[in-house]
Amino acid sequence: MALLIELSCGIKCLSVIFYIPLGVVLAIPPFNYPVNLVLSKIAPALIAGNSIVLKPPTPQEILHPCVQEILVH
């Protein structure tokens, strides 16, 4: 994606952004604050085009299928 930006001093700049997936992201969130940390790991990985392996913490395994359902739809 290329963006043409004009600065306040009148100089025009061209910015080029490449989205290159790096591979698989392993997300292991802690048990005491899972939702925020899960989403903060998943969102940048998905934006970059990476695939994700999520290992939910054992006490709150019921919470992560809800997050999975949101991401699938």
Side-chain angles (χ1 to χ4, degrees):
M1 180 164 80
L3 299 171
L4 185 59
I5 301 169
E6 185 171 347
L7 301 177
S8 60
C9 60
I11 298 174
K12 292 184 179 179
C13 300
L14 180 65
S15 175
V16 180
I17 302 170
F18 294 102
Y19 294 102
I20 302 172
L22 298 176
V24 179
V25 174
L26 175 62
I28 305 175
F31 70 93
N32 56 354
Y33 202 56
V35 176
N36 186 24
L37 290 177
V38 167
L39 296 178
S40 68
K41 290 180 182 197
I42 289 176
L46 288 177
I47 290 170
N50 296 313
S51 56
I52 301 166
V53 176
L54 175 65
K55 190 260 178 209
T58 52
Q60 285 138 9
E61 290 181 4
I62 205 133
L63 188 61
H64 294 284
C66 297
V67 174
Q68 178 186 3
E69 190 69 28
I70 291 170
L71 292 172
V72 168
H73 296 294

